Structure formats: C-alpha cells, structure tokens
Amino acid sequence: MRRRLAAIAAAGSLVVGLSACTTDGAGDDSDALVVYSGRSENLVGPLFEQIEESTGLDLEVRYASTPEMAAQIAEEGEASPADLFFSQDAGALGALSKEGLLTELDDGTIDVVPAEYRATDGTWVATSLRARVLVYDSEVLEEADVPDTIDALTAPEWRGKVGYAPTNASFQSFVTGLRVDRGDEAAEQWLRDFLANEPKTYDNNVALLEAADTGDVELGLTNHYYWYNTAEEKGPENMRARVRYLAQGDPGALVNVAGVGVLASTERPDDALRVVQELLGEQAQLYFLEEASEYPVVPGIASDAVDLPPLETLGGPDIDLGDLDGLEQTQQMLTRVGMI
C-alpha cells in the first residue's frame, strides 16, 4: 500500500502531509466533520460553505494535492481524522479503495450516477467529469487540420509542434489509461514514438495553454476546462488558442472524474454520506458546471452559462476508471523512456 500511494504522492511533486491547510484552523479536538480535499480551496471552498449552510454540518476542510491527501490517509490508516476524501481523479480513489480504506456507499445515494462513473464495489462515486483534449493555435491551424487521435501526433508533420506536461497528474492518468487500454508494451511504444517526435515540455497545463495561446506551440495535450475557464476570464475572442475534442474511443479522449469516498474509519458515516448526497445534488452539480466548466455527473443537469459539447459525444477507451490506480508502473515507464 505504501509504495503505491507514495508513487501517487510523488506525482504531485510535493511532500506528503506537510502543507495541508484547513478552512478554519480547527484542530483535532474539533467536532467538525473532516474532509481531506485534493481539490483546491479556490475551486471548491465556496461549495463547501454552501453545503455547511444547507446541511447545518460544521466542516473542517483540509486542502492539499490529491496525491498528498491520498498518501496521508494511507499513512494515518484507521487513526485518520478524515471522514471523507474528495479527490481530483479516480486513480487515488481506486488505490485507497483497493486497500480497504473506503467504505461502501449507500446504493440509493450513488445510483443517480451512471455506473461507469462509480466504483464497482460502491466505495467511491464521481462528482464531476473532465475530458482530455487538444488545444491548438488557431492562427496557424484550421480545426479540420487538427488531429483527433493520439497516434496522429507521432506523424512527421507534427515534429516539434506538440506540447505536453509530463509531470502533471492528468497527463500521467492519461498514460495509465493508455496502459490499461492497450497494454504496457503498446503504451510504451506510443510514448517512445511520441518522444521521438520532439514534443515541447511544460511545467503544467496552465503554462501549456498559454504557450498555445501565444504561438509558442501549435498543439497541446491538456484537459478541456483549462481553455473554458480562461475563455471565461479573457473572452474567447481575445484568445488564439482553441480546443479540439479527440475522437470517441481514442485513449487521448479519456474522460476522468473528480470524486468522493467515505473513509472506512469514520465514526460519523451518516453525516459523511449527507455530504456525498449534497455533492451529487443539483446545486453542487450546477456549481461544477458553471464555476469550473466541468461536466456534471448526474444526468439532466444543464446550464446556458457554459457551452460544452454534450457528454454523450465524448468518451475515451472502455476501461474501468478504478484501474487508473497503477501510477507507480506508469511513472516507472515514463522514467524508462526519458519523459520524467
């Protein structure tokens, strides 16, 4: 367990358990329900304030990266003060679930979410969705010229023109999905072919989008919401970067989740489940859509505020998202080929 979760922690490039902060400075003596959040306070802090108001529960939310929080839960074990884990991706949830650290959730609560976006054993459930996409420089490329498969990115015409962020957790989740879909040998060959085409590396997806928006790179592998959130701030008319969704079924079109699980060690399972229910409620689902440009995971939630392509038109390979916990092997592969 420690090796797997230590690998997940390493993906965050941070020291486990040292930088978590709380919303209110409450200590372990507090009777508040404790949430370990791998999602940022800027993004979900207002949402948790809404949940406190609607439920009457006092929440103590500790923020750090998803890898940090997952590793901290593993380190603390049954003594963890956390009651819930709110994760940025399915891999960390899957890893904790396989180690028996999450409890099975009530069927009536999670049945509102399609089966492909919750654990087969009911130990975690997605709260929102995000898609892998390509961003491209529209001053150089027409949309029709942009590839819609990852295999096309290894063609000679794209040599030196593609950007990516190899240390970013979402890129590594994509590679893990590629391994699950095609097997390790084929996945490693794609990585070697991609690397031989001399892609440009960036520290993170924000820098990558900026590079596509300033003409430093023609294409970039990233998540969809980076573009939509930036377009909301700057106005799409002021951007040269555009977004291109990859073909359905392609490994590069992976739709990953943010999700939540209740710790098996919690002494307040009913209160923890109430928070899960709130995260799946209409108010929270609209929040993810309108404030983060993410896809709601509960069918039927819609808003005119964000113009996203319909979710049913998207989708990567047919894999169990809980299998994205194989990050240690992914990082070994990325190291072996020379990407990290």
Side-chain angles (χ1 to χ4, degrees), residues 194-230:
F194 179 71
L195 195 59
N197 227 19
E198 302 175 1
K200 295 183 177 180
T201 61
Y202 295 88
D203 289 340
N204 52 56
N205 286 326
V206 173
L208 176 56
L209 176 59
E210 183 176 358
D213 202 38
T214 58
D216 186 59
V217 70
E218 293 186 17
L219 298 172
L221 283 162
T222 185
N223 288 334
H224 81 278
Y225 58 88
Y226 287 96
W227 186 88
Y228 285 94
N229 290 340
T230 302

PDB file of all heavy atoms in Angstrom, residues 194-230:
ATOM      1  N   PHE A 194       6.088   9.102 -29.628  1.00  0.00           N
ATOM      2  CA  PHE A 194       5.724  10.493 -29.338  1.00  0.00           C
ATOM      3  C   PHE A 194       6.964  11.301 -28.975  1.00  0.00           C
ATOM      4  O   PHE A 194       7.172  12.411 -29.481  1.00  0.00           O
ATOM      5  CB  PHE A 194       4.695  10.513 -28.207  1.00  0.00           C
ATOM      6  CG  PHE A 194       4.239  11.884 -27.793  1.00  0.00           C
ATOM      7  CD1 PHE A 194       3.416  12.647 -28.613  1.00  0.00           C
ATOM      8  CD2 PHE A 194       4.616  12.415 -26.564  1.00  0.00           C
ATOM      9  CE1 PHE A 194       2.975  13.915 -28.227  1.00  0.00           C
ATOM     10  CE2 PHE A 194       4.187  13.677 -26.167  1.00  0.00           C
ATOM     11  CZ  PHE A 194       3.373  14.423 -27.001  1.00  0.00           C
ATOM     12  N   LEU A 195       7.800  10.723 -28.123  1.00  0.00           N
ATOM     13  CA  LEU A 195       9.002  11.424 -27.683  1.00  0.00           C
ATOM     14  C   LEU A 195       9.985  11.622 -28.836  1.00  0.00           C
ATOM     15  O   LEU A 195      10.663  12.657 -28.914  1.00  0.00           O
ATOM     16  CB  LEU A 195       9.675  10.623 -26.558  1.00  0.00           C
ATOM     17  CG  LEU A 195      10.747  11.343 -25.728  1.00  0.00           C
ATOM     18  CD1 LEU A 195      10.174  12.587 -25.050  1.00  0.00           C
ATOM     19  CD2 LEU A 195      11.321  10.395 -24.674  1.00  0.00           C
ATOM     20  N   ALA A 196      10.034  10.653 -29.744  1.00  0.00           N
ATOM     21  CA  ALA A 196      10.928  10.767 -30.897  1.00  0.00           C
ATOM     22  C   ALA A 196      10.501  11.908 -31.819  1.00  0.00           C
ATOM     23  O   ALA A 196      11.311  12.382 -32.637  1.00  0.00           O
ATOM     24  CB  ALA A 196      10.939   9.446 -31.666  1.00  0.00           C
ATOM     25  N   ASN A 197       9.255  12.364 -31.665  1.00  0.00           N
ATOM     26  CA  ASN A 197       8.761  13.461 -32.499  1.00  0.00           C
ATOM     27  C   ASN A 197       9.046  14.823 -31.872  1.00  0.00           C
ATOM     28  O   ASN A 197       8.484  15.841 -32.321  1.00  0.00           O
ATOM     29  CB  ASN A 197       7.254  13.299 -32.738  1.00  0.00           C
ATOM     30  CG  ASN A 197       6.887  13.481 -34.191  1.00  0.00           C
ATOM     31  OD1 ASN A 197       7.739  13.386 -35.091  1.00  0.00           O
ATOM     32  ND2 ASN A 197       5.611  13.735 -34.464  1.00  0.00           N
ATOM     33  N   GLU A 198       9.891  14.802 -30.838  1.00  0.00           N
ATOM     34  CA  GLU A 198      10.414  16.025 -30.225  1.00  0.00           C
ATOM     35  C   GLU A 198       9.319  16.978 -29.724  1.00  0.00           C
ATOM     36  O   GLU A 198       9.286  18.160 -30.098  1.00  0.00           O
ATOM     37  CB  GLU A 198      11.337  16.753 -31.213  1.00  0.00           C
ATOM     38  CG  GLU A 198      12.508  15.895 -31.670  1.00  0.00           C
ATOM     39  CD  GLU A 198      13.356  16.569 -32.734  1.00  0.00           C
ATOM     40  OE1 GLU A 198      13.041  17.721 -33.113  1.00  0.00           O
ATOM     41  OE2 GLU A 198      14.333  15.947 -33.183  1.00  0.00           O
ATOM     42  N   PRO A 199       8.428  16.503 -28.850  1.00  0.00           N
ATOM     43  CA  PRO A 199       7.418  17.413 -28.276  1.00  0.00           C
ATOM     44  C   PRO A 199       8.069  18.392 -27.308  1.00  0.00           C
ATOM     45  O   PRO A 199       9.147  18.133 -26.765  1.00  0.00           O
ATOM     46  CB  PRO A 199       6.491  16.436 -27.535  1.00  0.00           C
ATOM     47  CG  PRO A 199       7.375  15.282 -27.166  1.00  0.00           C
ATOM     48  CD  PRO A 199       8.346  15.130 -28.314  1.00  0.00           C
ATOM     49  N   LYS A 200       7.386  19.514 -27.086  1.00  0.00           N
ATOM     50  CA  LYS A 200       7.855  20.509 -26.131  1.00  0.00           C
ATOM     51  C   LYS A 200       7.234  20.225 -24.763  1.00  0.00           C
ATOM     52  O   LYS A 200       6.052  19.905 -24.669  1.00  0.00           O
ATOM     53  CB  LYS A 200       7.471  21.919 -26.577  1.00  0.00           C
ATOM     54  CG  LYS A 200       8.140  22.352 -27.880  1.00  0.00           C
ATOM     55  CD  LYS A 200       7.763  23.798 -28.219  1.00  0.00           C
ATOM     56  CE  LYS A 200       8.477  24.268 -29.484  1.00  0.00           C
ATOM     57  NZ  LYS A 200       8.122  25.689 -29.823  1.00  0.00           N
ATOM     58  N   THR A 201       8.036  20.357 -23.707  1.00  0.00           N
ATOM     59  CA  THR A 201       7.537  20.092 -22.366  1.00  0.00           C
ATOM     60  C   THR A 201       7.225  21.387 -21.628  1.00  0.00           C
ATOM     61  O   THR A 201       7.905  22.402 -21.807  1.00  0.00           O
ATOM     62  CB  THR A 201       8.559  19.280 -21.544  1.00  0.00           C
ATOM     63  OG1 THR A 201       9.771  20.028 -21.435  1.00  0.00           O
ATOM     64  CG2 THR A 201       8.859  17.946 -22.213  1.00  0.00           C
ATOM     65  N   TYR A 202       6.201  21.327 -20.776  1.00  0.00           N
ATOM     66  CA  TYR A 202       5.800  22.462 -19.949  1.00  0.00           C
ATOM     67  C   TYR A 202       5.575  21.975 -18.529  1.00  0.00           C
ATOM     68  O   TYR A 202       5.302  20.798 -18.283  1.00  0.00           O
ATOM     69  CB  TYR A 202       4.527  23.113 -20.511  1.00  0.00           C
ATOM     70  CG  TYR A 202       4.778  23.721 -21.881  1.00  0.00           C
ATOM     71  CD1 TYR A 202       4.622  22.943 -23.028  1.00  0.00           C
ATOM     72  CD2 TYR A 202       5.216  25.019 -22.013  1.00  0.00           C
ATOM     73  CE1 TYR A 202       4.890  23.473 -24.290  1.00  0.00           C
ATOM     74  CE2 TYR A 202       5.489  25.564 -23.263  1.00  0.00           C
ATOM     75  CZ  TYR A 202       5.325  24.793 -24.394  1.00  0.00           C
ATOM     76  OH  TYR A 202       5.601  25.325 -25.629  1.00  0.00           O
ATOM     77  N   ASP A 203       5.685  22.907 -17.577  1.00  0.00           N
ATOM     78  CA  ASP A 203       5.583  22.526 -16.168  1.00  0.00           C
ATOM     79  C   ASP A 203       4.175  22.085 -15.794  1.00  0.00           C
ATOM     80  O   ASP A 203       4.000  21.249 -14.910  1.00  0.00           O
ATOM     81  CB  ASP A 203       6.000  23.695 -15.268  1.00  0.00           C
ATOM     82  CG  ASP A 203       7.499  23.959 -15.336  1.00  0.00           C
ATOM     83  OD1 ASP A 203       8.247  23.041 -15.747  1.00  0.00           O
ATOM     84  OD2 ASP A 203       7.912  25.075 -14.988  1.00  0.00           O
ATOM     85  N   ASN A 204       3.173  22.685 -16.420  1.00  0.00           N
ATOM     86  CA  ASN A 204       1.792  22.373 -16.058  1.00  0.00           C
ATOM     87  C   ASN A 204       0.873  22.769 -17.205  1.00  0.00           C
ATOM     88  O   ASN A 204       1.315  23.337 -18.220  1.00  0.00           O
ATOM     89  CB  ASN A 204       1.389  23.110 -14.770  1.00  0.00           C
ATOM     90  CG  ASN A 204       1.687  24.604 -14.863  1.00  0.00           C
ATOM     91  OD1 ASN A 204       1.218  25.282 -15.778  1.00  0.00           O
ATOM     92  ND2 ASN A 204       2.484  25.112 -13.925  1.00  0.00           N
ATOM     93  N   ASN A 205      -0.416  22.487 -17.029  1.00  0.00           N
ATOM     94  CA  ASN A 205      -1.374  22.743 -18.101  1.00  0.00           C
ATOM     95  C   ASN A 205      -1.671  24.228 -18.298  1.00  0.00           C
ATOM     96  O   ASN A 205      -2.078  24.637 -19.392  1.00  0.00           O
ATOM     97  CB  ASN A 205      -2.680  21.984 -17.824  1.00  0.00           C
ATOM     98  CG  ASN A 205      -2.532  20.499 -18.079  1.00  0.00           C
ATOM     99  OD1 ASN A 205      -1.799  20.088 -18.974  1.00  0.00           O
ATOM    100  ND2 ASN A 205      -3.212  19.687 -17.287  1.00  0.00           N
ATOM    101  N   VAL A 206      -1.495  25.024 -17.265  1.00  0.00           N
ATOM    102  CA  VAL A 206      -1.688  26.464 -17.417  1.00  0.00           C
ATOM    103  C   VAL A 206      -0.622  27.027 -18.358  1.00  0.00           C
ATOM    104  O   VAL A 206      -0.926  27.797 -19.284  1.00  0.00           O
ATOM    105  CB  VAL A 206      -1.632  27.166 -16.044  1.00  0.00           C
ATOM    106  CG1 VAL A 206      -1.668  28.684 -16.210  1.00  0.00           C
ATOM    107  CG2 VAL A 206      -2.776  26.696 -15.159  1.00  0.00           C
ATOM    108  N   ALA A 207       0.623  26.648 -18.121  1.00  0.00           N
ATOM    109  CA  ALA A 207       1.716  27.105 -18.990  1.00  0.00           C
ATOM    110  C   ALA A 207       1.543  26.562 -20.409  1.00  0.00           C
ATOM    111  O   ALA A 207       1.850  27.260 -21.394  1.00  0.00           O
ATOM    112  CB  ALA A 207       3.048  26.649 -18.409  1.00  0.00           C
ATOM    113  N   LEU A 208       1.034  25.362 -20.517  1.00  0.00           N
ATOM    114  CA  LEU A 208       0.821  24.767 -21.839  1.00  0.00           C
ATOM    115  C   LEU A 208      -0.239  25.526 -22.627  1.00  0.00           C
ATOM    116  O   LEU A 208      -0.057  25.821 -23.823  1.00  0.00           O
ATOM    117  CB  LEU A 208       0.409  23.304 -21.663  1.00  0.00           C
ATOM    118  CG  LEU A 208       0.051  22.523 -22.923  1.00  0.00           C
ATOM    119  CD1 LEU A 208       1.189  22.542 -23.928  1.00  0.00           C
ATOM    120  CD2 LEU A 208      -0.302  21.077 -22.561  1.00  0.00           C
ATOM    121  N   LEU A 209      -1.340  25.871 -21.969  1.00  0.00           N
ATOM    122  CA  LEU A 209      -2.379  26.638 -22.661  1.00  0.00           C
ATOM    123  C   LEU A 209      -1.857  28.005 -23.077  1.00  0.00           C
ATOM    124  O   LEU A 209      -2.136  28.479 -24.191  1.00  0.00           O
ATOM    125  CB  LEU A 209      -3.606  26.777 -21.761  1.00  0.00           C
ATOM    126  CG  LEU A 209      -4.731  27.644 -22.323  1.00  0.00           C
ATOM    127  CD1 LEU A 209      -5.241  27.089 -23.659  1.00  0.00           C
ATOM    128  CD2 LEU A 209      -5.876  27.763 -21.327  1.00  0.00           C
ATOM    129  N   GLU A 210      -1.106  28.636 -22.202  1.00  0.00           N
ATOM    130  CA  GLU A 210      -0.530  29.942 -22.538  1.00  0.00           C
ATOM    131  C   GLU A 210       0.390  29.832 -23.758  1.00  0.00           C
ATOM    132  O   GLU A 210       0.410  30.717 -24.624  1.00  0.00           O
ATOM    133  CB  GLU A 210       0.243  30.497 -21.347  1.00  0.00           C
ATOM    134  CG  GLU A 210       0.805  31.897 -21.600  1.00  0.00           C
ATOM    135  CD  GLU A 210       1.498  32.463 -20.369  1.00  0.00           C
ATOM    136  OE1 GLU A 210       1.500  31.785 -19.326  1.00  0.00           O
ATOM    137  OE2 GLU A 210       2.029  33.583 -20.479  1.00  0.00           O
ATOM    138  N   ALA A 211       1.120  28.725 -23.835  1.00  0.00           N
ATOM    139  CA  ALA A 211       2.016  28.524 -24.979  1.00  0.00           C
ATOM    140  C   ALA A 211       1.230  28.410 -26.279  1.00  0.00           C
ATOM    141  O   ALA A 211       1.620  28.961 -27.319  1.00  0.00           O
ATOM    142  CB  ALA A 211       2.864  27.272 -24.751  1.00  0.00           C
ATOM    143  N   ALA A 212       0.109  27.698 -26.229  1.00  0.00           N
ATOM    144  CA  ALA A 212      -0.731  27.581 -27.430  1.00  0.00           C
ATOM    145  C   ALA A 212      -1.387  28.915 -27.766  1.00  0.00           C
ATOM    146  O   ALA A 212      -1.653  29.213 -28.935  1.00  0.00           O
ATOM    147  CB  ALA A 212      -1.790  26.511 -27.213  1.00  0.00           C
ATOM    148  N   ASP A 213      -1.627  29.721 -26.744  1.00  0.00           N
ATOM    149  CA  ASP A 213      -2.307  31.000 -26.950  1.00  0.00           C
ATOM    150  C   ASP A 213      -1.364  32.093 -27.419  1.00  0.00           C
ATOM    151  O   ASP A 213      -1.811  33.145 -27.885  1.00  0.00           O
ATOM    152  CB  ASP A 213      -2.989  31.415 -25.637  1.00  0.00           C
ATOM    153  CG  ASP A 213      -4.120  32.395 -25.868  1.00  0.00           C
ATOM    154  OD1 ASP A 213      -4.855  32.242 -26.880  1.00  0.00           O
ATOM    155  OD2 ASP A 213      -4.279  33.323 -25.057  1.00  0.00           O
ATOM    156  N   THR A 214      -0.074  31.871 -27.264  1.00  0.00           N
ATOM    157  CA  THR A 214       0.902  32.866 -27.707  1.00  0.00           C
ATOM    158  C   THR A 214       1.686  32.406 -28.933  1.00  0.00           C
ATOM    159  O   THR A 214       2.585  33.121 -29.397  1.00  0.00           O
ATOM    160  CB  THR A 214       1.891  33.186 -26.570  1.00  0.00           C
ATOM    161  OG1 THR A 214       2.539  31.977 -26.150  1.00  0.00           O
ATOM    162  CG2 THR A 214       1.175  33.825 -25.387  1.00  0.00           C
ATOM    163  N   GLY A 215       1.373  31.222 -29.424  1.00  0.00           N
ATOM    164  CA  GLY A 215       2.050  30.735 -30.617  1.00  0.00           C
ATOM    165  C   GLY A 215       3.356  30.025 -30.360  1.00  0.00           C
ATOM    166  O   GLY A 215       4.095  29.720 -31.305  1.00  0.00           O
ATOM    167  N   ASP A 216       3.658  29.710 -29.089  1.00  0.00           N
ATOM    168  CA  ASP A 216       4.897  29.003 -28.788  1.00  0.00           C
ATOM    169  C   ASP A 216       4.819  27.543 -29.218  1.00  0.00           C
ATOM    170  O   ASP A 216       5.842  26.906 -29.482  1.00  0.00           O
ATOM    171  CB  ASP A 216       5.190  29.078 -27.284  1.00  0.00           C
ATOM    172  CG  ASP A 216       6.540  28.480 -26.928  1.00  0.00           C
ATOM    173  OD1 ASP A 216       7.553  28.983 -27.460  1.00  0.00           O
ATOM    174  OD2 ASP A 216       6.574  27.512 -26.143  1.00  0.00           O
ATOM    175  N   VAL A 217       3.601  27.020 -29.283  1.00  0.00           N
ATOM    176  CA  VAL A 217       3.408  25.637 -29.704  1.00  0.00           C
ATOM    177  C   VAL A 217       2.083  25.558 -30.477  1.00  0.00           C
ATOM    178  O   VAL A 217       1.161  26.334 -30.209  1.00  0.00           O
ATOM    179  CB  VAL A 217       3.398  24.702 -28.475  1.00  0.00           C
ATOM    180  CG1 VAL A 217       2.156  24.890 -27.636  1.00  0.00           C
ATOM    181  CG2 VAL A 217       3.552  23.244 -28.892  1.00  0.00           C
ATOM    182  N   GLU A 218       2.008  24.655 -31.452  1.00  0.00           N
ATOM    183  CA  GLU A 218       0.798  24.582 -32.272  1.00  0.00           C
ATOM    184  C   GLU A 218      -0.292  23.726 -31.646  1.00  0.00           C
ATOM    185  O   GLU A 218      -1.481  23.993 -31.824  1.00  0.00           O
ATOM    186  CB  GLU A 218       1.148  24.038 -33.671  1.00  0.00           C
ATOM    187  CG  GLU A 218       2.012  24.992 -34.468  1.00  0.00           C
ATOM    188  CD  GLU A 218       2.224  24.520 -35.897  1.00  0.00           C
ATOM    189  OE1 GLU A 218       1.463  23.638 -36.366  1.00  0.00           O
ATOM    190  OE2 GLU A 218       3.168  25.023 -36.543  1.00  0.00           O
ATOM    191  N   LEU A 219       0.106  22.656 -30.927  1.00  0.00           N
ATOM    192  CA  LEU A 219      -0.846  21.734 -30.314  1.00  0.00           C
ATOM    193  C   LEU A 219      -0.433  21.468 -28.870  1.00  0.00           C
ATOM    194  O   LEU A 219       0.761  21.482 -28.549  1.00  0.00           O
ATOM    195  CB  LEU A 219      -0.879  20.394 -31.054  1.00  0.00           C
ATOM    196  CG  LEU A 219      -1.309  20.386 -32.517  1.00  0.00           C
ATOM    197  CD1 LEU A 219      -1.073  18.985 -33.112  1.00  0.00           C
ATOM    198  CD2 LEU A 219      -2.782  20.757 -32.638  1.00  0.00           C
ATOM    199  N   GLY A 220      -1.424  21.173 -28.023  1.00  0.00           N
ATOM    200  CA  GLY A 220      -1.107  20.825 -26.641  1.00  0.00           C
ATOM    201  C   GLY A 220      -2.087  19.821 -26.087  1.00  0.00           C
ATOM    202  O   GLY A 220      -3.304  19.951 -26.258  1.00  0.00           O
ATOM    203  N   LEU A 221      -1.575  18.792 -25.405  1.00  0.00           N
ATOM    204  CA  LEU A 221      -2.408  17.786 -24.740  1.00  0.00           C
ATOM    205  C   LEU A 221      -2.758  18.278 -23.344  1.00  0.00           C
ATOM    206  O   LEU A 221      -1.878  18.473 -22.498  1.00  0.00           O
ATOM    207  CB  LEU A 221      -1.645  16.462 -24.646  1.00  0.00           C
ATOM    208  CG  LEU A 221      -1.554  15.611 -25.919  1.00  0.00           C
ATOM    209  CD1 LEU A 221      -0.426  14.586 -25.793  1.00  0.00           C
ATOM    210  CD2 LEU A 221      -2.878  14.913 -26.188  1.00  0.00           C
ATOM    211  N   THR A 222      -4.061  18.436 -23.060  1.00  0.00           N
ATOM    212  CA  THR A 222      -4.457  19.002 -21.779  1.00  0.00           C
ATOM    213  C   THR A 222      -5.878  18.566 -21.437  1.00  0.00           C
ATOM    214  O   THR A 222      -6.437  17.674 -22.087  1.00  0.00           O
ATOM    215  CB  THR A 222      -4.335  20.541 -21.832  1.00  0.00           C
ATOM    216  OG1 THR A 222      -4.604  21.086 -20.542  1.00  0.00           O
ATOM    217  CG2 THR A 222      -5.276  21.138 -22.848  1.00  0.00           C
ATOM    218  N   ASN A 223      -6.472  19.185 -20.406  1.00  0.00           N
ATOM    219  CA  ASN A 223      -7.870  18.949 -20.052  1.00  0.00           C
ATOM    220  C   ASN A 223      -8.732  20.097 -20.561  1.00  0.00           C
ATOM    221  O   ASN A 223      -8.289  21.248 -20.600  1.00  0.00           O
ATOM    222  CB  ASN A 223      -8.041  18.827 -18.532  1.00  0.00           C
ATOM    223  CG  ASN A 223      -7.493  17.531 -17.995  1.00  0.00           C
ATOM    224  OD1 ASN A 223      -7.420  16.522 -18.717  1.00  0.00           O
ATOM    225  ND2 ASN A 223      -7.092  17.530 -16.743  1.00  0.00           N
ATOM    226  N   HIS A 224     -10.008  19.801 -20.852  1.00  0.00           N
ATOM    227  CA  HIS A 224     -10.857  20.777 -21.534  1.00  0.00           C
ATOM    228  C   HIS A 224     -11.089  22.052 -20.728  1.00  0.00           C
ATOM    229  O   HIS A 224     -11.164  23.153 -21.286  1.00  0.00           O
ATOM    230  CB  HIS A 224     -12.208  20.131 -21.881  1.00  0.00           C
ATOM    231  CG  HIS A 224     -13.182  20.098 -20.747  1.00  0.00           C
ATOM    232  ND1 HIS A 224     -13.155  19.131 -19.765  1.00  0.00           N
ATOM    233  CD2 HIS A 224     -14.211  20.949 -20.415  1.00  0.00           C
ATOM    234  CE1 HIS A 224     -14.131  19.354 -18.905  1.00  0.00           C
ATOM    235  NE2 HIS A 224     -14.788  20.446 -19.265  1.00  0.00           N
ATOM    236  N   TYR A 225     -11.221  21.937 -19.404  1.00  0.00           N
ATOM    237  CA  TYR A 225     -11.686  23.086 -18.637  1.00  0.00           C
ATOM    238  C   TYR A 225     -10.652  24.201 -18.538  1.00  0.00           C
ATOM    239  O   TYR A 225     -11.000  25.348 -18.239  1.00  0.00           O
ATOM    240  CB  TYR A 225     -12.153  22.653 -17.246  1.00  0.00           C
ATOM    241  CG  TYR A 225     -11.122  21.941 -16.413  1.00  0.00           C
ATOM    242  CD1 TYR A 225     -10.239  22.655 -15.597  1.00  0.00           C
ATOM    243  CD2 TYR A 225     -11.025  20.566 -16.429  1.00  0.00           C
ATOM    244  CE1 TYR A 225      -9.296  21.997 -14.830  1.00  0.00           C
ATOM    245  CE2 TYR A 225     -10.091  19.899 -15.665  1.00  0.00           C
ATOM    246  CZ  TYR A 225      -9.223  20.619 -14.870  1.00  0.00           C
ATOM    247  OH  TYR A 225      -8.284  19.971 -14.116  1.00  0.00           O
ATOM    248  N   TYR A 226      -9.381  23.893 -18.781  1.00  0.00           N
ATOM    249  CA  TYR A 226      -8.384  24.973 -18.767  1.00  0.00           C
ATOM    250  C   TYR A 226      -8.736  26.020 -19.811  1.00  0.00           C
ATOM    251  O   TYR A 226      -8.634  27.225 -19.578  1.00  0.00           O
ATOM    252  CB  TYR A 226      -6.980  24.411 -19.014  1.00  0.00           C
ATOM    253  CG  TYR A 226      -6.421  23.650 -17.845  1.00  0.00           C
ATOM    254  CD1 TYR A 226      -6.531  22.266 -17.769  1.00  0.00           C
ATOM    255  CD2 TYR A 226      -5.798  24.308 -16.789  1.00  0.00           C
ATOM    256  CE1 TYR A 226      -6.038  21.562 -16.690  1.00  0.00           C
ATOM    257  CE2 TYR A 226      -5.303  23.620 -15.700  1.00  0.00           C
ATOM    258  CZ  TYR A 226      -5.424  22.237 -15.654  1.00  0.00           C
ATOM    259  OH  TYR A 226      -4.945  21.546 -14.570  1.00  0.00           O
ATOM    260  N   TRP A 227      -9.139  25.542 -20.981  1.00  0.00           N
ATOM    261  CA  TRP A 227      -9.488  26.502 -22.040  1.00  0.00           C
ATOM    262  C   TRP A 227     -10.778  27.253 -21.695  1.00  0.00           C
ATOM    263  O   TRP A 227     -10.845  28.482 -21.831  1.00  0.00           O
ATOM    264  CB  TRP A 227      -9.656  25.782 -23.381  1.00  0.00           C
ATOM    265  CG  TRP A 227      -9.881  26.765 -24.498  1.00  0.00           C
ATOM    266  CD1 TRP A 227      -8.935  27.393 -25.247  1.00  0.00           C
ATOM    267  CD2 TRP A 227     -11.155  27.280 -24.948  1.00  0.00           C
ATOM    268  NE1 TRP A 227      -9.514  28.254 -26.155  1.00  0.00           N
ATOM    269  CE2 TRP A 227     -10.873  28.201 -25.979  1.00  0.00           C
ATOM    270  CE3 TRP A 227     -12.464  27.042 -24.584  1.00  0.00           C
ATOM    271  CZ2 TRP A 227     -11.890  28.882 -26.648  1.00  0.00           C
ATOM    272  CZ3 TRP A 227     -13.483  27.734 -25.244  1.00  0.00           C
ATOM    273  CH2 TRP A 227     -13.186  28.634 -26.265  1.00  0.00           C
ATOM    274  N   TYR A 228     -11.787  26.520 -21.235  1.00  0.00           N
ATOM    275  CA  TYR A 228     -13.080  27.176 -20.970  1.00  0.00           C
ATOM    276  C   TYR A 228     -12.967  28.188 -19.825  1.00  0.00           C
ATOM    277  O   TYR A 228     -13.570  29.271 -19.886  1.00  0.00           O
ATOM    278  CB  TYR A 228     -14.136  26.120 -20.650  1.00  0.00           C
ATOM    279  CG  TYR A 228     -14.597  25.384 -21.890  1.00  0.00           C
ATOM    280  CD1 TYR A 228     -14.010  24.184 -22.273  1.00  0.00           C
ATOM    281  CD2 TYR A 228     -15.603  25.908 -22.697  1.00  0.00           C
ATOM    282  CE1 TYR A 228     -14.408  23.517 -23.416  1.00  0.00           C
ATOM    283  CE2 TYR A 228     -16.008  25.248 -23.848  1.00  0.00           C
ATOM    284  CZ  TYR A 228     -15.416  24.056 -24.208  1.00  0.00           C
ATOM    285  OH  TYR A 228     -15.807  23.411 -25.350  1.00  0.00           O
ATOM    286  N   ASN A 229     -12.222  27.840 -18.787  1.00  0.00           N
ATOM    287  CA  ASN A 229     -12.082  28.787 -17.676  1.00  0.00           C
ATOM    288  C   ASN A 229     -11.306  30.035 -18.103  1.00  0.00           C
ATOM    289  O   ASN A 229     -11.620  31.159 -17.695  1.00  0.00           O
ATOM    290  CB  ASN A 229     -11.378  28.111 -16.493  1.00  0.00           C
ATOM    291  CG  ASN A 229     -12.272  27.071 -15.825  1.00  0.00           C
ATOM    292  OD1 ASN A 229     -13.491  27.104 -15.980  1.00  0.00           O
ATOM    293  ND2 ASN A 229     -11.670  26.153 -15.100  1.00  0.00           N
ATOM    294  N   THR A 230     -10.278  29.856 -18.923  1.00  0.00           N
ATOM    295  CA  THR A 230      -9.516  31.004 -19.412  1.00  0.00           C
ATOM    296  C   THR A 230     -10.363  31.850 -20.360  1.00  0.00           C
ATOM    297  O   THR A 230     -10.316  33.091 -20.320  1.00  0.00           O
ATOM    298  CB  THR A 230      -8.236  30.524 -20.127  1.00  0.00           C
ATOM    299  OG1 THR A 230      -7.460  29.743 -19.220  1.00  0.00           O
ATOM    300  CG2 THR A 230      -7.400  31.701 -20.608  1.00  0.00           C
TER     301      THR A 230
END
